[in-house]
């Protein structure tokens, strides 16, 4: 496994992508902490925090279509530099203003640029590495994100405490300047094969090229569909997590923070370990098992009689989530038709954001009506059902594809694809 990582790290373009992603994530985390604290200190109440989170997520959902089309351009490097530059200007503006309305407007500008540029960064990966190697780069990206996000959040909190929110936001602006510079250092990507998508105008919310790509590979389409309810089950318990740990299990503030840290470290390890699954069949099977184990881990957390048992569940859930994230995006980049990667990434990212927004409402409702333990158990059972349904659907799609090949007299793979 280490040898495989060394092979992709030897490529200059990969190193630039990984460093740019890590720096950007750290800056974004620092900015998020600064903005949340700014809104809190303004005394506007929970509605203002909700509005801020909505401003962060809405552009990613609404711009899936154009973002996917832009990401699959022959050479997206100018787009990457332009969107990073807009993000730098928006972050600079956030550092210079402190009114709530101006903050929300500038966050919308910031996230609009993010929504249009982020899929292009991901879609660039398979065009810079040998065929079949994109999954390893994605695993490294996920691992670096897991390290950079809490590090950036911690730095952001310290900067706000010592110097105020503006300093953390200036740091975010600097990271976007570095991101724009990274776009200029990325080598020219391999040419894309000709597709008919370039002639299709962008209409509606969803990127149609991404939908067509997933329909052409039913097994991966099932995994993407399974990913969405998994996002709901995971993010729904975020609303009640603090109540379970502090009020039900009686843990202290430091123990709550430790559980968050342990979960994050486990996710990093899970993403790195995911690189060991190198074949399509192995990756899909690991994803299906991991989704089920996430559900099982949530049930264990909800029923945990003590904090150490809850902590063990956090380790397991973190490991499985890290593996799922790395493997699903690795499969999408390695297995789907080139020229549609950006559309698929934009589609998955936008739908995941929408699922996350739904999760906040569901988690709050279940937690308020039935308590934190019940919310965890309900989420975990739902995750197990999703894993079972996805497994059956994947095998059905493979069996259907084999039948279709046989009816056409076309030889198929000698082993089960999933």
């Amino acid at each position: 496994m280490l040898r495989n990582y060394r092979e992709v790290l030897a490529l200059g373009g990969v190193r630039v992508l990984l460093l740019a992603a890590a720096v950007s994530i750290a800056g974004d985390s620092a900015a998020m902490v600064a903005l949340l604290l700014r809104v809190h200190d303004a005394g506007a109440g929970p509605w203002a925090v909700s509005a801020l989170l909505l401003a962060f997520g809405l552009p990613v959902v609404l711009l899936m279509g154009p973002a996917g089309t832009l990401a699959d351009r022959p050479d997206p490097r100018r787009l990457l530099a332009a969107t990073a530059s807009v993000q730098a200007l928006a972050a600079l503006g956030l550092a210079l203003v402190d009114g709530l309305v101006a903050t929300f407007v500038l966050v919308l500008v910031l996230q609009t640029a993010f929504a249009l540029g982020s899929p292009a960064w991901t879609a660039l990966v398979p065009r810079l590495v040998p065929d079949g190697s994109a999954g390893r780069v994605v695993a490294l990206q996920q691992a670096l994100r897991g390290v950079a996000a809490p590090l950036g959040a911690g730095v952001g909190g310290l900067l706000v405490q010592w110097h105020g929110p503006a300093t953390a936001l200036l740091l975010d602006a600097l990271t976007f300047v570095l991101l724009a510079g990274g776009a200029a250092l990325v080598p020219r990507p391999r040419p894309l094969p000709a597709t008919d998508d370039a002639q299709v105008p962008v209409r509606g919310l969803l990127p149609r090229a991404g939908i067509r790509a997933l329909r052409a590979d039913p097994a991966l389409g099932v995994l993407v569909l399974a990913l969405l309810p998994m996002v709901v089950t995971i993010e729904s318990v975020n609303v009640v997590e603090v109540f379970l740990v502090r009020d039900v299990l009686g843990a202290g503030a430091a123990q709550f923070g430790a559980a968050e840290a342990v979960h994050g470290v486990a996710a990093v390890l899970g993403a790195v370990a995911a690189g060991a699954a190198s074949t399509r069949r192995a990756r899909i099977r690991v994803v299906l098992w991991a989704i089920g184990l996430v559900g099982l881990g949530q049930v264990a957390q909800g029923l945990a009689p003590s904090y150490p048992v809850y902590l063990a569940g956090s380790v397991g859930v973190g490991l499985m989530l890290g593996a799922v994230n790395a493997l699903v995006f690795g499969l999408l980049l390695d297995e789907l038709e080139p020229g549609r990667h950006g559309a698929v990434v934009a589609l998955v990212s936008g739908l995941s954001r929408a699922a996350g927004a739904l999760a906040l409402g569901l988690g709050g409702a279940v937690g308020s009506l039935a308590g934190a333990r019940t919310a965890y158990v309900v989420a975990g059972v739902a995750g197990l059902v999703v894993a079972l349904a996805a497994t059956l659907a994947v095998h059905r799609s493979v069996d259907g594809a084999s039948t279709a090949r046989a009816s056409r007299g076309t030889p198929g793979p000698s082993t089960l694809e999933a």
Side-chain angles (χ1 to χ4, degrees):
M1 184 174 70
L2 292 177
R3 179 181 170 220
N4 292 335
Y5 281 131
R6 284 197 297 268
E7 289 174 355
V8 295
L9 286 172
L11 303 172
V14 170
R15 294 196 297 271
V16 170
L17 286 177
L18 293 174
L19 182 60
V23 169
S24 177
I25 288 296
D28 287 348
S29 298
M32 176 62 84
V33 169
L35 291 171
L36 286 171
L37 291 174
R38 171 187 286 180
V39 171
H40 173 269
D41 293 343
W47 71 266
V49 175
S50 299
L52 178 66
L53 297 177
L54 183 64
F56 266 94
L58 196 59
V60 179
V61 177
L62 297 181
L63 294 174
M64 285 186 281
T69 300
L70 290 171
D72 288 323
R73 296 173 67 181
D75 190 349
R77 290 177 296 177
R78 288 185 180 178
L79 169 70
L80 299 177
T83 53
S85 299
V86 171
Q87 288 176 284
L89 292 173
L92 178 61
L94 285 167
L96 299 177
V97 304
D98 56 9
L100 285 183
V101 174
T103 295
F104 294 153
V105 170
L106 285 170
V107 167
L108 284 172
V109 174
L110 179 78
Q111 289 303 100
T112 296
F114 169 81
L116 294 175
S118 181
W121 282 103
T122 304
L124 200 58
V125 172
R127 300 174 61 190
L128 297 176
V129 300
D131 291 341
S133 299
R136 300 186 190 103
V137 179
V138 171
L140 290 172
Q141 284 181 323
Q142 294 292 337
L144 285 175
R145 285 173 184 269
V147 174
L151 179 62
V155 171
L158 291 175
L159 289 175
V160 172
Q161 181 174 336
W162 292 342
H163 304 290
T167 306
L169 293 165
L170 286 173
L171 173 64
D172 193 31
L174 176 61
T175 64
F176 289 125
V177 172
L178 296 176
L179 192 63
L185 295 176
V186 171
R188 186 176 183 85
R190 291 198 302 269
L192 289 170
T195 68
D196 56 358
D197 295 328
Q199 307 302 322
V200 178
V202 179
R203 294 174 183 168
L205 176 65
L206 301 177
R208 290 185 290 170
I211 296 173
R212 283 198 295 272
L214 290 176
R215 283 179 175 172
D217 193 325
L220 296 192
V222 168
L223 292 188
V224 169
L225 290 177
L227 189 65
L228 301 179
M230 192 193 78
V231 169
V232 174
T233 63
I234 290 299
E235 298 201 11
S236 64
V237 297
N238 289 343
V239 181
V240 298
E241 180 181 15
V242 66
F243 299 102
L244 176 63
V245 176
R246 298 296 310 277
D247 299 340
V248 178
L249 298 177
Q255 289 174 304
F256 176 73
E260 294 292 292
V262 165
H263 176 88
V265 171
V268 171
L269 296 176
V272 173
S278 57
T279 67
R280 173 187 171 96
R281 180 181 181 181
R283 287 174 174 178
I284 292 179
R285 286 190 170 177
V286 171
V287 169
L288 294 172
W289 273 100
I291 292 175
L293 290 173
V294 165
L296 194 61
Q298 287 184 303
V299 172
Q301 287 178 300
L303 299 177
S306 62
Y307 173 77
V309 177
Y310 172 87
L311 193 64
S314 293
V315 172
V317 170
L319 285 170
M320 295 303 104
L321 280 180
V324 169
N325 287 332
L327 289 173
V328 168
F329 278 95
L331 279 164
L332 296 178
L333 296 181
D334 279 334
E335 299 292 337
L336 294 181
E337 179 183 353
R340 293 179 176 173
H341 291 137
V344 172
V345 170
L347 176 67
V348 175
S349 299
L351 292 178
S352 296
R353 284 293 183 102
L358 174 64
L360 295 177
L362 290 177
V366 175
S368 299
L369 294 173
R373 282 194 184 276
T374 302
Y376 265 84
V377 173
V378 168
V381 171
L384 290 169
V385 172
V386 168
L388 178 60
T391 300
L392 294 175
V394 165
H395 282 282
R396 191 159 50 242
S397 69
V398 172
D399 291 340
S402 301
T403 301
R405 282 193 297 265
S407 66
R408 293 194 302 267
T410 304
S414 57
T415 58
L416 183 66
E417 293 179 19

